[in-house]
Amino acid sequence: MALGALGAVAIALPSLLWLAGFTVDDALISARVAHHLAIGVGYRMSSGGPVVDAVTPFGYAWVLAPFARAGVLSTLSAAKGLGAGCWLAAVAILGGATARLGGARLRFAPLALLGACTPLAAWASSGMETGIVLLLATLALGSGSFAALCAGVAAAWRPELLPWALVLRVGLAWGAPRRMAGHAALLLVPVALVVCARASLFGATFPLSALAKPSDLAHGLRYALGAVLLTGPPLLVIARPRQLPLRERVMLLAAGVHFVSLLLAGGDWMPLYRLATPVLPSLVWIGVVLARAARPWATAVRVGAALVPCALIAIYIGPSAAAVGAHRRALIEAARPELAGYRRIAALDVGWVGAASSASIVDLAGVTDPTVARLSGSHTDKHLPAGFVRAREVDAVVLLLAPGEPAAPPWPERMQRTVDARAAAQAAALGFERAAVLPLGGTTQSYVVLAAPRP
C-alpha cells in the first residue's frame, strides 16, 4: 500500500511542480481578506470597508489567516503550498487504494492521469480552495460517516457539488434507510451552517459571485462538454455500466450528475475547468477498477484516449498557465510605486491591485462589492450608474487596454472590457489623466492608471 501511495505521488509531483506558478486574480482576493483577518481589520476587502463575502468558499480566508500576517503575496504562497499538499494527500490515498485492490498490474495505468491532467495540477496549487476540496472529495469516496461529512464540507465550500454529494453518499448507502438518512444529515449540516452564516454576516444565503458573475445555459453547455472531453479522466470510464461494481456505478452516476449541475449553473469564467476538478479523482478510481479485470487492449484504449486531450492541454495551455504567477508578481512589483499615495482605487482585477496597494478598492466587477454585484450585466459588463466614479470618491482607476492599443485618449475606445470603458469615460469627464502604464507580462496588453488631478 505504501509503495502504491508513493508511486502515485511520484506520478503527480512533476506536473504539480511545473504548474506551481499558476494562479488567478481571485486567489489574491482570498489572500487579501485573510491578511486583513490576521492583522485585525476583519472579514473585509478594504480596511474600513464593509464586511463582505469576498470569496466564494466561506471560511477559506480563516483557514489562511494563521499564515497571513506578512502580506498578501506571502499569504498566496502559503495557500498554494496548502493546496498542493492536500492534492498530494489525495493522490496518495488513490495510489494506496489501488495497491490494495489487487488484480492485473495494469490497474495502475489510469493513475497516469493524476500527473497528466493539467487542470488538476494547476488548480491544486493555484492558491484557491480547490486543493483542499480535491482532498475532501477523494475522502468522500470512502465508507462511513466521516466520508459523508467530507462530502458535506466539500459541498459547503463549492455549492455546485451538492447534487454530486447527495447522489454519492445516499447512493452508497442505498438499501439501508437509517444509514441513508444519517449520511444525508451529515452531508447537509455543513451546507446548512454555511448558508446560515452567510445570511447572518452578509445578508444573503448564496455567494456574492453568483450575482457578480452571472452566466447562462449556453456557456454552461460549452463548459460541461469541454470538461468531459478535454480534462482526461472522464474518458477513462468508457464502458458499459454493468461492467462496474455497484459502488463504482454510484460514483459514475454522481459524476454525471455533477456535469449536469455545471451545465445548469452556467459553468465558470475561470480557465482549465476548475469546477469539474473535484469529481475527477473519482473517475480515475473508476478507471482503476475497470482496468484490474479488463483485457490489456481495453485498458490501453481507455488510458490512451484519456491521455490525448491531456497532452493537447499540456502542450497548448500548460506553458502559459505555468507562467501566470511570475507575470503577476512582476506586475504587482511594478505597480507598487505607481499606486502609492492613492486613497481609493477602482479596478476590475481587484486581486492583483489589492496586492500592490493598501488603498481601499472599488470593485468594478462586484465580486467584493454587493452594490456593484447587483448591477445588471456580466462581471466585465457592469452598467455603472452615472457619477459612479465621483460618488465613490475614486482618485485612480486601473483599466485593461485592448491588445495593441496605445495608452492615449480617447480612453473608452482603448479598453478591452466594457465596464473598463464605462469607468474610463467617467474618469475622463472628471479630468483624470494618465499616471502610469503597466505591461501585462506574457501578452501584448497593458494596464493604464488614470488618476485624478493633484490639488
Side-chain angles (χ1 to χ4, degrees):
M1 186 179 77
L3 287 176
L6 290 173
V9 168
I11 290 170
L13 191 57
S15 61
L16 191 62
L17 293 173
W18 176 45
L19 291 158
F22 176 74
T23 191
V24 289
D25 202 60
D26 281 16
L28 288 163
I29 295 175
S30 301
R32 193 179 210 239
V33 174
H35 175 58
H36 284 166
L37 284 170
I39 63 176
V41 170
Y43 208 102
R44 309 170 194 273
M45 181 62 181
S46 296
S47 178
V51 173
V52 61
D53 179 17
V55 284
T56 301
F58 177 75
Y60 180 53
W62 275 299
V63 172
L64 299 180
F67 318 103
R69 290 195 63 85
V72 176
L73 288 180
S74 65
T75 306
L76 176 65
S77 296
K80 290 167 73 66
L82 177 62
C86 286
W87 170 230
L88 290 178
V91 166
I93 290 169
L94 289 171
T98 302
R100 287 197 306 270
L101 187 63
R105 290 185 179 180
L106 273 178
R107 71 186 186 278
F108 289 97
L111 297 182
L113 274 294
L114 299 175
C117 179
T118 296
L120 284 172
W123 282 111
S125 61
S126 66
M128 297 287 282
E129 80 290 345
T130 313
I132 303 174
V133 174
L134 282 167
L135 176 57
L136 290 169
T138 302
L139 291 169
L141 304 177
S143 302
S145 300
F146 179 70
L149 184 61
C150 288
V153 176
W157 269 16
R158 297 291 345 149
E160 72 282 349
L161 279 173
L162 182 57
W164 167 82
L166 282 169
V167 171
L168 177 70
R169 295 313 313 172
V170 173
L172 292 178
W174 196 259
R178 290 183 62 182
R179 194 159 160 255
M180 291 167 61
H183 282 204
L186 280 170
L187 190 158
L188 292 172
V189 164
V191 176
L193 288 175
V194 166
V195 168
C196 292
R198 283 188 189 280
S200 174
L201 288 172
F202 310 126
T205 59
F206 49 85
L208 186 59
S209 60
L211 288 176
K213 298 182 178 182
S215 193
D216 53 53
L217 287 178
H219 184 267
L221 178 60
R222 291 193 298 272
Y223 189 92
L225 283 177
V228 169
L229 296 175
L230 297 176
T231 56
L235 302 182
L236 281 175
V237 299
I238 302 170
R240 296 177 183 176
R242 61 186 176 85
Q243 293 178 262
L244 289 168
L246 179 59
R247 184 177 186 82
E248 280 66 37
R249 289 187 211 176
V250 171
M251 293 180 189
L252 183 58
L253 175 62
V257 167
H258 182 64
F259 287 115
V260 173
S261 297
L262 296 184
L263 186 159
L264 296 176
D268 187 24
W269 295 101
M270 296 187 190
L272 292 173
Y273 303 105
R274 173 179 67 116
L275 300 186
T277 56
V279 305
L280 299 184
S282 67
L283 297 176
V284 172
W285 173 252
I286 294 170
V288 167
V289 172
L290 283 170
R292 72 169 175 168
R295 295 178 179 178
W297 68 264
T299 298
V301 167
R302 291 189 186 105
V303 174
L307 287 175
V308 168
C310 288
L312 293 175
I313 294 292
I315 292 169
Y316 290 104
I317 299 179
S320 59
V324 168
H327 292 318
R328 195 58 51 92
R329 284 178 179 268
L331 176 63
I332 290 167
E333 293 303 326
R336 287 189 195 278
E338 303 293 351
L339 299 181
Y342 297 114
R343 295 178 299 103
R344 196 176 299 273
I345 302 171
L348 189 150
D349 299 317
V350 298
W352 76 259
V353 174
S357 171
S358 60
S360 293
I361 304 298
V362 177
D363 188 345
L364 298 178
V367 175
T368 64
D369 188 315
T371 301
V372 177
R374 289 176 171 82
L375 298 176
S376 61
S378 71
H379 66 293
T380 62
D381 185 28
K382 290 297 183 186
H383 292 263
L384 303 178
F388 176 86
V389 172
R390 181 194 295 274
R392 289 298 186 96
E393 299 180 343
V394 170
D395 55 356
V397 291
V398 180
L399 308 170
L400 181 64
L401 296 169
E405 286 288 348
W411 297 113
E413 298 176 16
R414 308 296 188 196
M415 297 301 142
Q416 167 77 11
R417 301 166 303 202
T418 306
V419 72
D420 282 1
R422 291 175 177 143
Q426 292 193 20
L430 293 171
F432 282 41
E433 297 180 348
R434 189 182 81 179
V437 179
L438 302 168
L440 178 58
T443 73
T444 59
Q445 294 179 267
S446 296
Y447 287 92
V448 63
V449 180
L450 302 182
R454 297 287 186 180

